[in-house]
Amino acid sequence: MLIQGSCHCENIAFELDWPGEGASVPARACTCSFCVKHGGVWTAHSDARLRIRIADADRTSSYAFGTGTAAFHVCTRCGAVPVATSDIDGARYAVVNVNTFDDFERSRLTTETVSFDGEGEADRLTRRAARWIGHVEIDYQDAAFVA
């Protein structure tokens, strides 16, 4: 199933190739202060494929906090946070914010609240490598941007 999404102004857009045609997509409402303040409700599937397109890299920001092991990609034009990535052992993993899905039937989401408080950095990276989207491509439309 192909799911498309973007920030509000479409500067950061994505195509999520979700395995199967399942009736529901699991989503996790993280209770950290950043996710609460930005409406971050995340989904991932280890077998999914994600292509991120950034139209104007000068209008994006990357924000990391806590352990500094995840980058939240923020559109500086509209303020939305559609994706977060984590580079682990030379591989890039990602989650997408279900609140940035375009034309998606919201009743297909099954949302639970999660807290990662107290999780150590090693455990966090192991969890991400096992559960986050493992095939991630980022297409920078603005060739001047260096990732």
Side-chain angles (χ1 to χ4, degrees):
M1 158 175 53
L2 187 64
I3 301 170
Q4 295 183 336
S6 65
C7 63
H8 191 258
C9 70
E10 299 181 356
N11 183 45
I12 304 172
F14 62 85
E15 289 185 345
L16 175 61
D17 188 0
W18 192 267
E21 293 293 326
S24 65
V25 171
R28 296 175 302 281
C30 179
T31 59
C32 80
S33 59
F34 182 83
C35 291
V36 168
K37 289 180 181 274
H38 288 85
V41 180
W42 307 97
T43 194
H45 190 295
S46 60
D47 294 329
R49 299 175 72 82
L50 178 65
R51 182 179 172 114
I52 303 165
R53 181 197 47 81
I54 299 178
D56 184 351
D58 289 337
R59 294 187 183 232
T60 64
S61 175
S62 176
Y63 180 71
F65 67 99
T67 62
T69 58
F72 292 85
H73 299 271
V74 182
C75 179
T76 61
R77 182 184 302 151
C78 69
V81 185
V83 298
T85 58
S86 184
D87 294 336
I88 305 167
D89 296 329
R92 179 164 288 160
Y93 298 88
V95 290
V96 295
N97 185 347
V98 301
N99 288 325
T100 62
F101 283 3
D102 297 328
D103 301 319
F104 186 82
E105 179 56 49
R106 306 252 340 144
S107 65
R108 295 183 70 181
L109 297 172
T110 55
T111 305
E112 65 177 340
T113 301
V114 296
S115 172
F116 300 112
D117 290 344
E119 183 180 54
E121 184 175 326
D123 290 337
R124 186 166 297 206
L125 295 176
T126 299
R127 173 180 51 78
R128 289 178 185 159
R131 296 183 185 168
W132 282 25
I133 301 162
H135 183 84
V136 180
E137 297 175 36
I138 302 179
D139 179 14
Y140 297 99
Q141 303 288 305
D142 178 356
F145 183 82
V146 178

